[in-house]
Amino acid sequence: LGLKLLQEKVKSNLGSGFNFDPYIKSLPPSFDGLPTYYVDDIPELQFSNVERQAVARITELLRITQACLSLADTPHDPFNGAAIGVNELLWASAAASSRALRLP
């Protein structure tokens, strides 16, 4: 969901994202205060469950970033040549997860 939101945000910024423009424009441009952990911060967490979740999140974001970069400037580039990095993926992840319904 986050990657689709990011794809639509790129389209909106290029002026070609007509279907989702109102929704994309209603999302915050950034998510300040989002708990983002970097590798150097992990020992400071001091709780193994939180530490595992932080490592999993970092690993997944890096994997997705590498996959997006490997598709850049190819016919399969989902972002039409727009520069996509970790910050953009963090925005997409926060936008999707902050609006997702979690059912038991």
Side-chain angles (χ1 to χ4, degrees):
L1 179 60
L3 290 174
K4 182 62 177 170
L5 281 175
L6 186 55
Q7 185 182 40
E8 292 300 326
K9 183 179 181 185
V10 168
K11 286 181 185 178
S12 181
N13 291 344
L14 295 173
S16 62
F18 305 111
N19 292 336
F20 289 95
D21 262 359
Y23 181 69
I24 296 297
K25 289 179 180 175
S26 75
L27 295 172
S30 66
F31 290 89
D32 298 331
L34 176 69
T36 304
Y37 304 107
Y38 298 97
V39 174
D40 294 340
D41 296 333
I42 291 189
E44 302 299 321
L45 295 176
Q46 299 177 0
F47 296 101
S48 60
N49 188 35
V50 175
E51 185 176 340
R52 278 192 299 276
Q53 290 177 6
V55 169
R57 182 181 178 124
I58 291 168
T59 303
E60 185 67 8
L61 284 171
L62 290 174
R63 186 188 67 74
I64 293 170
T65 301
Q66 290 170 345
C68 289
L69 290 174
S70 72
L71 293 174
D73 299 324
T74 71
H76 304 291
D77 183 356
F79 304 109
N80 299 321
I84 300 300
V86 172
N87 289 332
E88 290 78 18
L89 289 168
L90 283 171
W91 176 88
S93 176
S97 65
S98 67
R99 278 134 182 88
L101 297 175
R102 288 180 175 73
L103 301 175

XYZ file of all heavy atoms in Angstrom:
801
model
N 0.834 -1.195 0.000
C 0.000 0.000 0.000
C 0.873 1.251 0.000
O 0.593 2.204 -0.709
C -0.947 -0.026 1.200
C -1.860 1.178 1.353
C -2.773 1.345 0.141
C -2.697 1.038 2.597
N 1.922 1.214 0.805
C 2.824 2.357 0.863
C 3.482 2.652 -0.469
O 3.603 3.810 -0.875
N 3.902 1.602 -1.167
C 4.538 1.807 -2.478
C 3.551 2.375 -3.487
O 3.911 3.216 -4.317
C 5.131 0.496 -2.990
C 6.365 0.009 -2.229
C 6.775 -1.376 -2.718
C 7.507 0.991 -2.347
N 2.307 1.941 -3.419
C 1.286 2.489 -4.317
C 1.035 3.961 -3.996
O 0.903 4.786 -4.898
C -0.008 1.669 -4.217
C -1.085 2.138 -5.157
C -0.662 2.001 -6.601
C -1.781 2.406 -7.533
N -1.344 2.507 -8.921
N 0.978 4.302 -2.717
C 0.832 5.709 -2.340
C 1.991 6.540 -2.862
O 1.796 7.643 -3.375
C 0.761 5.850 -0.811
C -0.559 5.540 -0.148
C -0.415 5.599 1.365
C -1.630 6.500 -0.603
N 3.197 6.006 -2.739
C 4.375 6.723 -3.219
C 4.328 6.887 -4.729
O 4.638 7.955 -5.267
C 5.646 5.994 -2.784
C 6.966 6.694 -3.081
C 6.995 8.107 -2.503
C 8.118 5.872 -2.526
N 3.913 5.852 -5.427
C 3.776 5.934 -6.877
C 2.767 7.016 -7.258
O 2.999 7.813 -8.165
C 3.358 4.582 -7.438
C 3.315 4.534 -8.950
C 2.852 3.175 -9.459
O 1.950 2.568 -8.894
N 3.481 2.707 -10.507
N 1.646 7.069 -6.557
C 0.626 8.082 -6.831
C 1.113 9.480 -6.453
O 0.771 10.457 -7.119
C -0.679 7.745 -6.111
C -1.360 6.514 -6.652
C -1.739 6.623 -8.130
O -2.093 7.722 -8.603
O -1.677 5.580 -8.823
N 1.927 9.587 -5.403
C 2.487 10.889 -5.021
C 3.418 11.401 -6.119
O 3.394 12.581 -6.459
C 3.235 10.778 -3.692
C 3.783 12.109 -3.208
C 4.488 11.978 -1.878
C 4.985 13.333 -1.426
N 5.780 13.265 -0.212
N 4.237 10.502 -6.667
C 5.122 10.883 -7.769
C 4.298 11.359 -8.962
O 4.583 12.394 -9.560
C 6.057 9.709 -8.157
C 6.767 9.985 -9.470
C 7.070 9.453 -7.048
N 3.249 10.613 -9.302
C 2.374 11.020 -10.414
C 1.752 12.379 -10.139
O 1.666 13.228 -11.021
C 1.260 9.990 -10.622
C 1.700 8.705 -11.255
C 0.483 7.790 -11.409
C 0.829 6.430 -11.913
N -0.369 5.565 -11.990
N 1.313 12.586 -8.904
C 0.696 13.855 -8.529
C 1.691 15.001 -8.680
O 1.357 16.068 -9.199
C 0.197 13.777 -7.086
O -0.414 14.977 -6.705
N 2.929 14.770 -8.245
C 3.969 15.796 -8.373
C 4.294 16.099 -9.826
O 4.692 17.207 -10.156
C 5.230 15.378 -7.625
C 5.034 15.387 -6.125
O 4.095 15.971 -5.606
N 5.919 14.716 -5.415
N 4.120 15.105 -10.699
C 4.376 15.302 -12.129
C 3.163 15.861 -12.854
O 3.219 16.141 -14.044
C 4.796 13.970 -12.774
C 6.119 13.373 -12.288
C 6.323 11.984 -12.878
C 7.280 14.287 -12.640
N 2.046 15.973 -12.140
C 0.833 16.498 -12.750
C 0.031 15.471 -13.514
O -0.835 15.829 -14.319
N 0.295 14.189 -13.288
C -0.435 13.166 -14.038
C -1.186 12.194 -13.137
O -1.609 11.145 -13.573
C 0.530 12.388 -14.937
O 1.489 11.716 -14.152
N -1.366 12.550 -11.870
C -2.025 11.639 -10.940
C -3.437 12.078 -10.610
O -3.734 12.407 -9.483
N -4.297 12.089 -11.588
C -5.620 12.682 -11.403
C -6.530 11.903 -10.458
O -7.280 12.499 -9.701
C -6.295 12.857 -12.761
C -5.463 13.644 -13.716
C -4.895 13.046 -14.821
C -5.217 14.985 -13.479
C -4.106 13.769 -15.693
C -4.423 15.721 -14.341
C -3.867 15.115 -15.455
N -6.489 10.600 -10.470
C -7.423 9.815 -9.664
C -7.205 9.973 -8.172
O -8.155 10.018 -7.400
C -7.339 8.330 -10.034
C -7.853 8.061 -11.432
O -8.649 8.817 -11.957
N -7.385 6.993 -12.030
N -5.969 10.041 -7.746
C -5.675 10.070 -6.317
C -5.187 11.429 -5.825
O -4.833 11.564 -4.666
C -4.625 9.002 -5.976
C -5.149 7.600 -6.073
C -4.968 6.862 -7.236
C -5.829 7.033 -5.021
C -5.456 5.572 -7.342
C -6.326 5.736 -5.108
C -6.135 5.011 -6.273
N -5.175 12.439 -6.700
C -4.660 13.754 -6.307
C -5.274 14.292 -5.013
O -4.536 14.699 -4.114
C -4.858 14.780 -7.426
C -3.614 14.961 -8.260
O -2.597 14.322 -7.974
O -3.673 15.762 -9.223
N -6.592 14.316 -4.874
C -7.147 14.876 -3.630
C -6.682 14.123 -2.381
O -6.369 14.739 -1.365
C -8.661 14.737 -3.813
C -8.861 14.667 -5.288
C -7.640 13.966 -5.826
N -6.616 12.812 -2.475
C -6.182 12.029 -1.318
C -4.699 12.267 -1.024
O -4.319 12.498 0.130
C -6.444 10.540 -1.542
C -6.026 9.705 -0.360
C -6.719 9.782 0.836
C -4.924 8.864 -0.430
C -6.326 9.037 1.949
C -4.534 8.119 0.668
C -5.237 8.211 1.850
O -4.843 7.482 2.937
N -3.869 12.225 -2.045
C -2.428 12.432 -1.857
C -2.169 13.813 -1.264
O -1.362 13.968 -0.348
C -1.662 12.250 -3.190
C -1.786 10.817 -3.699
C -0.207 12.669 -3.059
C -1.169 9.772 -2.795
N -2.886 14.822 -1.748
C -2.690 16.182 -1.242
C -3.197 16.348 0.188
O -2.789 17.268 0.879
C -3.348 17.184 -2.177
C -2.587 17.301 -3.485
C -3.232 18.260 -4.448
C -2.386 18.286 -5.725
N -2.984 19.081 -6.764
N -4.075 15.438 0.635
C -4.565 15.514 2.018
C -3.583 14.887 3.008
O -3.719 15.102 4.218
C -5.928 14.820 2.136
O -5.788 13.412 2.117
N -2.612 14.135 2.521
C -1.628 13.497 3.398
C -0.567 14.504 3.831
O -0.230 15.416 3.080
C -0.958 12.325 2.676
C -1.867 11.164 2.313
C -1.124 10.161 1.436
C -2.404 10.489 3.555
N -0.024 14.342 5.019
C 1.043 15.249 5.465
C 2.268 15.124 4.552
O 2.579 14.027 4.090
C 1.387 14.750 6.871
C 0.303 13.828 7.271
C -0.355 13.337 6.032
N 2.956 16.225 4.287
C 4.162 16.152 3.454
C 5.300 15.418 4.145
O 6.209 14.908 3.499
C 4.526 17.608 3.186
C 3.842 18.382 4.263
C 2.641 17.589 4.689
N 5.251 15.371 5.475
C 6.255 14.628 6.234
C 5.605 14.134 7.527
O 4.545 14.612 7.922
C 7.468 15.502 6.546
O 7.100 16.540 7.425
N 6.249 13.190 8.143
C 5.763 12.631 9.400
C 6.822 12.863 10.468
O 7.571 11.959 10.836
C 5.452 11.134 9.235
C 4.255 10.877 8.379
C 4.376 10.734 7.007
C 2.991 10.789 8.944
C 3.268 10.505 6.212
C 1.868 10.565 8.156
C 2.010 10.422 6.794
N 6.894 14.099 10.931
C 7.864 14.436 11.975
C 7.505 13.678 13.244
O 6.335 13.512 13.581
C 7.861 15.937 12.239
C 8.279 16.722 11.009
O 9.049 16.182 10.199
O 7.830 17.875 10.859
N 8.489 13.217 13.931
C 8.259 12.476 15.158
C 8.056 10.991 14.936
O 7.828 10.247 15.876
N 8.136 10.564 13.693
C 8.009 9.146 13.387
C 9.199 8.417 14.007
O 10.345 8.794 13.773
C 8.008 8.924 11.871
C 7.986 7.498 11.377
C 6.631 6.857 11.704
C 8.236 7.440 9.893
N 8.950 7.400 14.811
C 10.091 6.698 15.412
C 10.849 5.881 14.372
O 10.397 4.843 13.937
C 9.449 5.795 16.469
C 8.045 5.629 16.028
C 7.695 6.842 15.230
N 11.951 6.430 13.950
C 12.815 5.765 12.980
C 14.129 5.465 13.676
O 14.733 6.350 14.260
C 13.078 6.683 11.773
O 11.824 7.060 11.223
C 13.901 5.982 10.726
N 14.526 4.224 13.607
C 15.755 3.813 14.274
C 16.818 3.518 13.236
O 16.549 2.925 12.210
C 15.518 2.567 15.124
C 14.422 2.769 16.133
C 13.189 2.172 15.974
C 14.630 3.590 17.235
C 12.174 2.380 16.900
C 13.626 3.802 18.161
C 12.402 3.193 17.983
O 11.411 3.402 18.883
N 18.017 3.955 13.539
C 19.147 3.673 12.685
C 20.003 2.618 13.383
O 19.878 2.392 14.582
C 19.931 4.950 12.394
C 19.067 5.940 11.655
C 18.395 6.956 12.318
C 18.882 5.818 10.287
C 17.579 7.841 11.636
C 18.067 6.699 9.604
C 17.420 7.708 10.284
O 16.602 8.565 9.601
N 20.850 1.985 12.642
C 21.639 0.869 13.163
C 22.364 1.250 14.456
O 22.388 0.479 15.413
C 22.628 0.368 12.086
C 23.549 -0.692 12.651
C 21.868 -0.153 10.875
N 22.904 2.448 14.517
C 23.642 2.876 15.722
C 22.729 3.066 16.930
O 23.188 3.033 18.071
C 24.397 4.177 15.446
C 25.506 3.994 14.413
O 25.934 2.834 14.211
O 25.930 4.998 13.822
N 21.436 3.283 16.703
C 20.495 3.516 17.802
C 19.997 2.224 18.444
O 19.498 2.240 19.566
C 19.256 4.274 17.298
C 19.593 5.651 16.788
O 20.592 6.237 17.237
O 18.843 6.143 15.920
N 20.096 1.120 17.769
C 19.453 -0.115 18.212
C 19.923 -0.584 19.591
O 19.084 -0.950 20.410
C 19.588 -1.204 17.132
C 18.720 -0.768 15.972
C 19.208 -2.572 17.663
C 18.505 -1.713 14.883
N 21.215 -0.532 19.916
C 21.608 -0.968 21.269
C 20.963 -0.136 22.382
O 20.805 -0.603 23.500
C 23.127 -0.805 21.270
C 23.519 -0.884 19.840
C 22.377 -0.264 19.081
N 20.554 1.091 22.057
C 19.944 1.963 23.060
C 18.498 1.578 23.374
O 17.933 2.045 24.365
C 20.003 3.423 22.594
C 21.401 3.930 22.323
C 22.297 3.885 23.557
O 21.806 4.175 24.663
O 23.476 3.543 23.410
N 17.884 0.776 22.550
C 16.480 0.418 22.757
C 16.281 -0.412 24.016
O 15.284 -0.273 24.705
C 15.930 -0.325 21.539
C 15.873 0.496 20.260
C 15.405 -0.373 19.104
C 14.955 1.693 20.425
N 17.178 -1.306 24.321
C 17.225 -2.080 25.558
C 16.071 -3.057 25.755
O 15.910 -3.609 26.833
C 17.332 -1.145 26.763
C 18.572 -0.294 26.730
C 18.643 0.670 27.888
O 17.771 0.708 28.732
N 19.692 1.466 27.923
N 15.241 -3.254 24.786
C 14.168 -4.245 24.869
C 14.258 -5.129 23.638
O 14.152 -4.648 22.514
C 12.789 -3.576 24.933
C 12.585 -2.753 26.164
C 12.717 -1.366 26.117
C 12.277 -3.350 27.372
C 12.527 -0.602 27.252
C 12.087 -2.580 28.518
C 12.215 -1.205 28.451
N 14.439 -6.414 23.832
C 14.717 -7.302 22.710
C 13.583 -7.319 21.686
O 13.836 -7.379 20.481
C 15.022 -8.717 23.196
O 13.914 -9.241 23.906
N 12.325 -7.263 22.121
C 11.209 -7.278 21.179
C 11.212 -6.019 20.302
O 11.045 -6.096 19.083
C 9.872 -7.398 21.923
C 8.716 -7.601 20.973
O 8.866 -8.248 19.954
N 7.576 -7.039 21.311
N 11.409 -4.859 20.908
C 11.473 -3.601 20.162
C 12.689 -3.604 19.247
O 12.629 -3.158 18.101
C 11.506 -2.393 21.120
C 11.687 -1.089 20.355
C 10.244 -2.341 21.960
N 13.792 -4.142 19.761
C 15.015 -4.223 18.962
C 14.795 -5.078 17.716
O 15.172 -4.691 16.612
C 16.149 -4.801 19.798
C 17.485 -4.810 19.095
C 18.594 -5.313 20.001
O 18.450 -5.299 21.233
O 19.622 -5.729 19.447
N 14.147 -6.229 17.878
C 13.862 -7.106 16.726
C 12.968 -6.393 15.709
O 13.199 -6.483 14.505
C 13.205 -8.402 17.180
C 14.165 -9.453 17.674
C 13.488 -10.808 17.826
N 12.393 -10.788 18.789
C 12.524 -10.927 20.100
N 13.728 -11.092 20.623
N 11.478 -10.899 20.894
N 11.962 -5.699 16.188
C 11.060 -4.988 15.281
C 11.792 -3.871 14.539
O 11.564 -3.667 13.343
C 9.866 -4.430 16.050
C 8.914 -5.483 16.534
C 7.772 -4.906 17.358
O 7.630 -3.698 17.478
N 6.968 -5.780 17.932
N 12.657 -3.152 15.236
C 13.421 -2.079 14.601
C 14.361 -2.632 13.536
O 14.458 -2.087 12.429
C 14.207 -1.298 15.653
N 15.045 -3.722 13.849
C 15.951 -4.351 12.875
C 15.157 -4.839 11.665
O 15.573 -4.642 10.519
C 16.744 -5.509 13.516
C 17.466 -6.335 12.469
C 17.735 -4.959 14.531
N 14.000 -5.440 11.895
C 13.179 -5.932 10.784
C 12.713 -4.776 9.907
O 12.732 -4.880 8.678
C 11.980 -6.708 11.321
N 12.323 -3.674 10.522
C 11.850 -2.516 9.747
C 12.984 -1.915 8.915
O 12.820 -1.613 7.742
C 11.270 -1.475 10.695
C 10.712 -0.281 9.974
C 10.170 0.742 10.949
N 9.694 1.879 10.212
C 8.477 2.347 10.288
N 7.607 1.797 11.080
N 8.120 3.401 9.577
N 14.154 -1.746 9.533
C 15.303 -1.197 8.805
C 15.677 -2.112 7.647
O 15.910 -1.657 6.528
C 16.507 -1.008 9.758
C 16.222 0.106 10.756
C 17.782 -0.705 8.971
C 17.217 0.171 11.900
N 15.733 -3.401 7.915
C 16.104 -4.377 6.886
C 15.122 -4.335 5.722
O 15.526 -4.341 4.557
C 16.165 -5.794 7.494
O 17.096 -5.786 8.575
C 16.579 -6.821 6.472
N 13.836 -4.288 6.024
C 12.827 -4.255 4.973
C 12.895 -2.964 4.160
O 12.815 -2.986 2.934
C 11.427 -4.425 5.580
C 10.322 -4.526 4.564
C 10.375 -5.783 3.706
O 11.189 -6.688 3.965
O 9.596 -5.853 2.740
N 13.071 -1.829 4.820
C 13.183 -0.564 4.090
C 14.413 -0.541 3.183
O 14.348 -0.067 2.049
C 13.216 0.612 5.057
C 11.874 0.991 5.670
C 12.063 2.023 6.770
C 10.919 1.511 4.609
N 15.521 -1.077 3.668
C 16.725 -1.127 2.844
C 16.538 -2.072 1.654
O 16.975 -1.769 0.540
C 17.936 -1.546 3.679
C 18.417 -0.511 4.686
C 19.531 -1.080 5.551
C 18.872 0.762 3.989
N 15.869 -3.196 1.878
C 15.608 -4.138 0.789
C 14.725 -3.497 -0.283
O 15.015 -3.580 -1.481
C 14.936 -5.401 1.327
C 14.756 -6.496 0.276
C 13.912 -7.643 0.787
N 12.528 -7.282 1.021
C 11.622 -7.078 0.049
N 11.959 -7.198 -1.205
N 10.381 -6.758 0.351
N 13.689 -2.808 0.144
C 12.788 -2.160 -0.816
C 13.504 -1.024 -1.531
O 13.339 -0.839 -2.745
C 11.509 -1.671 -0.110
C 10.694 -2.873 0.368
C 10.677 -0.801 -1.037
C 9.540 -2.515 1.273
N 14.318 -0.262 -0.805
C 15.086 0.827 -1.434
C 15.995 0.278 -2.519
O 16.057 0.812 -3.633
C 15.915 1.590 -0.382
O 15.042 2.132 0.599
C 16.717 2.708 -1.019
N 16.699 -0.813 -2.220
C 17.588 -1.418 -3.213
C 16.801 -1.922 -4.427
O 17.242 -1.767 -5.567
C 18.398 -2.547 -2.589
C 19.427 -2.037 -1.608
C 20.074 -3.151 -0.798
O 19.592 -4.272 -0.748
N 21.170 -2.816 -0.133
N 15.631 -2.498 -4.185
C 14.799 -2.981 -5.292
C 14.335 -1.818 -6.160
O 14.362 -1.907 -7.395
C 13.602 -3.764 -4.761
N 13.929 -0.719 -5.531
C 13.493 0.457 -6.295
C 14.650 1.040 -7.104
O 14.481 1.410 -8.267
C 12.926 1.521 -5.363
S 11.334 1.093 -4.645
N 15.829 1.110 -6.482
C 16.991 1.641 -7.191
C 17.386 0.753 -8.365
O 17.827 1.245 -9.403
C 18.172 1.807 -6.230
C 18.029 2.916 -5.195
C 19.186 2.876 -4.208
C 17.933 4.274 -5.870
N 17.218 -0.557 -8.211
C 17.589 -1.461 -9.298
C 16.640 -1.320 -10.495
O 17.011 -1.659 -11.619
C 17.616 -2.912 -8.815
O 16.302 -3.392 -8.600
N 15.437 -0.808 -10.269
C 14.477 -0.617 -11.357
C 14.558 0.771 -11.979
O 13.935 1.013 -13.015
C 13.054 -0.855 -10.851
C 12.719 -2.274 -10.443
C 11.332 -2.327 -9.822
C 12.807 -3.212 -11.633
N 15.297 1.668 -11.342
C 15.392 3.040 -11.845
C 15.915 3.056 -13.275
O 16.814 2.308 -13.647
C 16.299 3.861 -10.943
N 15.307 3.896 -14.072
C 15.692 4.088 -15.481
C 15.572 2.824 -16.312
O 16.325 2.618 -17.263
C 17.115 4.661 -15.579
C 17.223 6.017 -14.902
O 16.251 6.793 -14.984
O 18.257 6.298 -14.285
N 14.656 1.957 -15.944
C 14.339 0.785 -16.758
C 12.871 0.900 -17.161
O 12.127 1.705 -16.595
C 14.538 -0.540 -15.978
O 13.512 -0.657 -14.983
C 15.915 -0.618 -15.337
N 12.424 0.111 -18.122
C 11.004 0.154 -18.495
C 10.072 -0.263 -17.350
O 8.886 0.029 -17.381
C 10.908 -0.846 -19.647
C 12.291 -0.985 -20.166
C 13.206 -0.741 -19.000
N 10.607 -0.912 -16.325
C 9.790 -1.387 -15.206
C 9.814 -0.436 -14.011
O 9.304 -0.786 -12.945
C 10.266 -2.776 -14.769
C 10.254 -3.774 -15.871
N 9.093 -4.257 -16.426
C 11.269 -4.347 -16.554
C 9.382 -5.112 -17.385
N 10.707 -5.175 -17.485
N 10.398 0.741 -14.179
C 10.510 1.707 -13.094
C 9.116 2.196 -12.695
O 8.458 2.894 -13.462
C 11.372 2.891 -13.531
C 11.598 3.914 -12.436
O 11.036 3.760 -11.336
O 12.349 4.877 -12.697
N 8.637 1.837 -11.491
C 7.286 2.248 -11.096
C 7.171 3.730 -10.760
O 6.077 4.247 -10.609
C 7.004 1.385 -9.859
C 8.343 1.075 -9.303
C 9.285 1.018 -10.485
N 8.315 4.412 -10.673
C 8.302 5.820 -10.282
C 8.728 6.749 -11.412
O 9.051 7.908 -11.177
C 9.180 6.010 -9.044
C 8.759 5.124 -7.905
C 9.539 4.044 -7.529
C 7.564 5.346 -7.242
C 9.136 3.209 -6.500
C 7.156 4.516 -6.220
C 7.944 3.444 -5.851
N 8.730 6.249 -12.628
C 8.979 7.052 -13.826
C 10.214 7.937 -13.731
O 10.198 9.107 -14.101
C 7.756 7.906 -14.154
C 6.544 7.059 -14.429
O 6.640 6.015 -15.054
N 5.393 7.485 -13.942
N 11.295 7.391 -13.199
C 12.551 8.124 -13.142
C 12.710 9.039 -11.941
O 13.754 9.658 -11.777
N 11.684 9.153 -11.106
C 11.804 9.994 -9.905
C 12.791 9.351 -8.933
O 12.844 8.134 -8.810
C 10.449 10.165 -9.234
N 13.561 10.177 -8.257
C 14.537 9.679 -7.289
C 13.804 9.194 -6.043
O 13.145 9.962 -5.356
C 15.529 10.775 -6.930
N 13.909 7.908 -5.774
C 13.260 7.307 -4.610
C 14.341 6.751 -3.700
O 15.191 5.981 -4.133
C 12.306 6.171 -5.043
C 11.222 6.705 -5.964
C 11.709 5.473 -3.832
C 10.336 7.769 -5.364
N 14.312 7.163 -2.460
C 15.283 6.690 -1.487
C 14.608 6.326 -0.181
O 13.379 6.224 -0.097
N 15.397 6.171 0.847
C 14.887 5.751 2.147
C 13.882 6.765 2.700
O 12.847 6.391 3.250
C 16.043 5.517 3.138
C 15.518 5.280 4.540
C 16.895 4.346 2.693
N 14.139 8.068 2.553
C 13.220 9.076 3.092
C 11.846 8.992 2.444
O 10.823 9.107 3.126
C 13.794 10.479 2.930
C 14.964 10.722 3.845
O 15.068 10.129 4.911
N 15.873 11.575 3.430
N 11.808 8.790 1.145
C 10.526 8.654 0.452
C 9.800 7.385 0.896
O 8.583 7.379 1.072
C 10.742 8.653 -1.069
C 11.159 9.992 -1.642
C 12.641 10.314 -1.411
O 13.437 9.398 -1.121
O 12.998 11.493 -1.509
N 10.563 6.324 1.085
C 9.951 5.075 1.543
C 9.469 5.178 2.989
O 8.441 4.598 3.342
C 10.923 3.914 1.381
C 11.149 3.520 -0.075
C 12.322 2.569 -0.195
C 9.902 2.903 -0.668
N 10.176 5.922 3.816
C 9.709 6.157 5.180
C 8.391 6.921 5.159
O 7.466 6.621 5.923
C 10.754 6.916 5.999
C 11.925 6.111 6.498
C 12.984 7.034 7.109
C 11.476 5.091 7.521
N 8.285 7.926 4.286
C 7.028 8.659 4.150
C 5.913 7.705 3.739
O 4.822 7.723 4.319
C 7.158 9.782 3.112
C 5.854 10.487 2.885
C 5.370 11.550 3.584
C 4.847 10.129 1.934
N 4.125 11.874 3.114
C 3.782 11.027 2.106
C 4.739 9.146 0.954
C 2.616 10.976 1.333
C 3.583 9.087 0.181
C 2.540 9.989 0.374
N 6.175 6.871 2.741
C 5.162 5.939 2.241
C 4.742 4.956 3.325
O 3.544 4.678 3.498
C 5.699 5.192 1.018
N 5.695 4.449 4.061
C 5.403 3.506 5.137
C 4.555 4.171 6.220
O 3.569 3.598 6.707
C 6.709 2.975 5.722
O 6.469 2.143 6.813
N 4.926 5.387 6.595
C 4.173 6.110 7.623
C 2.774 6.460 7.137
O 1.802 6.337 7.894
C 4.927 7.376 8.024
N 2.658 6.880 5.889
C 1.339 7.231 5.349
C 0.420 6.018 5.332
O -0.756 6.113 5.698
C 1.488 7.809 3.944
N 0.941 4.885 4.942
C 0.115 3.674 4.883
C -0.211 3.153 6.274
O -1.364 2.853 6.579
C 0.818 2.598 4.065
N 0.790 3.058 7.132
C 0.548 2.445 8.441
C -0.268 3.355 9.360
O -1.019 2.867 10.203
C 1.853 2.047 9.108
O 2.636 3.179 9.398
N -0.171 4.670 9.190
C -0.937 5.566 10.053
C -2.402 5.607 9.668
O -3.234 6.083 10.434
C -0.345 6.982 10.016
O -0.511 7.546 8.736
N -2.742 5.090 8.502
C -4.125 5.097 8.058
C -4.707 3.685 7.920
O -5.839 3.505 7.499
C -4.248 5.813 6.717
C -4.310 7.307 6.954
C -3.392 8.077 6.030
N -3.451 9.498 6.333
C -2.691 10.091 7.220
N -1.816 9.418 7.899
N -2.781 11.384 7.448
N -3.922 2.703 8.287
C -4.371 1.310 8.176
C -5.208 0.910 9.382
O -4.933 1.338 10.503
C -3.167 0.382 8.047
N -6.197 0.114 9.129
C -6.995 -0.446 10.219
C -6.384 -1.778 10.610
O -6.141 -2.626 9.765
C -8.435 -0.661 9.758
C -9.198 0.593 9.372
C -10.559 0.206 8.824
C -9.352 1.518 10.560
N -6.136 -1.929 11.876
C -5.587 -3.189 12.365
C -6.684 -3.937 13.091
O -7.225 -3.461 14.097
C -4.408 -2.927 13.276
C -3.192 -2.455 12.501
C -2.025 -2.195 13.422
N -0.824 -1.866 12.725
C -0.563 -0.739 12.109
N -1.466 0.207 12.082
N 0.587 -0.518 11.519
N -7.025 -5.067 12.572
C -8.072 -5.896 13.173
C -7.437 -7.043 13.950
O -6.396 -7.560 13.565
C -8.990 -6.442 12.089
C -9.685 -5.387 11.227
C -10.464 -6.040 10.115
C -10.587 -4.511 12.077
N -8.058 -7.436 15.055
C -7.469 -8.524 15.847
C -7.506 -9.849 15.132
O -8.182 -10.104 14.225
C -8.339 -8.581 17.097
C -9.545 -7.767 16.817
C -9.273 -6.931 15.616
